[in-house]
Amino acid sequence: MTATTVVWLEEGAAGRFVDIDDCDRLPLIREDSDLQGAIELEVNGVDLLNRVLVDDIITMWVYIASMVNDYMNGLKAMAPLPEQSILVSLKPLPRGQALMSVEGNSWRRASAADAEELLFTLRFAGNEFFDKVEALTGRFWPQARTFLNAGSEFQ
């Protein structure tokens, strides 16, 4: 199980994806502009999220954090991708498992995994993302971090 975040950096007329760990700069982020990127999430051999699902990556992580918080509080845990007709959900299964699914209008991908391991993977990647973006921009997302880390050792 792996999760990473990539951001889209424009370079002249072109651009490229860069792993958040390798970023030493980000495009100017204003209140009305998005930082484009993607979460790459593989769960038991299934690519649930990938670079095809490019979106406003900050809002995407804020929504994923809210979904984790809802899951931890026994609520319906779903997160839309901000700019697409795609829904990500996390549901508890018996024996400590969780089902994560990503669905669009005419397709669906899903995979089950150990709930604690899946949550750890999401939290680790989310905190890594927020650490880097906060260091590079000086902006902070404390509520998203509280939601992402609810009930974990990351608090």
Side-chain angles (χ1 to χ4, degrees), residues 1-146:
M1 186 172 333
T2 61
T4 58
T5 305
V6 293
V7 294
W8 180 255
L9 296 181
E10 293 195 15
E11 298 169 338
R16 65 185 172 105
F17 283 108
V18 177
D19 189 294
I20 194 68
D21 285 341
D22 299 329
C23 284
D24 57 2
R25 64 178 175 83
L26 292 174
L28 180 62
I29 303 170
R30 298 183 308 269
E31 290 298 321
D32 61 345
S33 67
D34 301 336
L35 176 61
Q36 294 299 304
I39 299 170
E40 296 178 317
L41 176 63
E42 177 272 324
V43 176
N44 291 327
V46 178
D47 288 328
L48 294 177
L49 297 170
N50 56 41
R51 294 177 186 201
V52 173
L53 303 174
V54 174
D55 215 314
D56 171 2
I57 193 64
I58 293 172
T59 304
M60 189 185 296
W61 269 116
V62 168
Y63 287 0
I64 295 291
S66 181
M67 181 186 74
V68 168
N69 186 63
D70 288 347
Y71 179 87
M72 292 302 298
N73 286 301
L75 303 172
K76 195 168 194 164
M78 298 187 311
L81 296 190
E83 298 172 6
Q84 302 186 39
S85 297
I86 294 172
L87 187 65
V88 180
S89 64
L90 187 59
K91 297 176 184 172
L93 295 174
R95 296 183 293 285
Q97 298 284 301
L99 177 69
M100 186 152 190
S101 63
V102 180
E103 54 190 292
N105 291 331
S106 61
W107 58 272
R108 181 175 191 265
R109 293 188 292 252
S111 187
D114 178 81
E116 286 185 27
E117 185 179 343
L118 179 56
L119 290 168
F120 179 87
T121 299
L122 291 171
R123 288 175 173 136
F124 189 86
N127 281 298
E128 180 179 65
F129 170 76
F130 284 118
D131 286 346
K132 185 59 116 169
V133 173
E134 289 172 356
L136 293 174
T137 66
R139 292 179 55 201
F140 298 91
W141 289 267
Q143 183 175 21
R145 283 186 178 265
T146 298

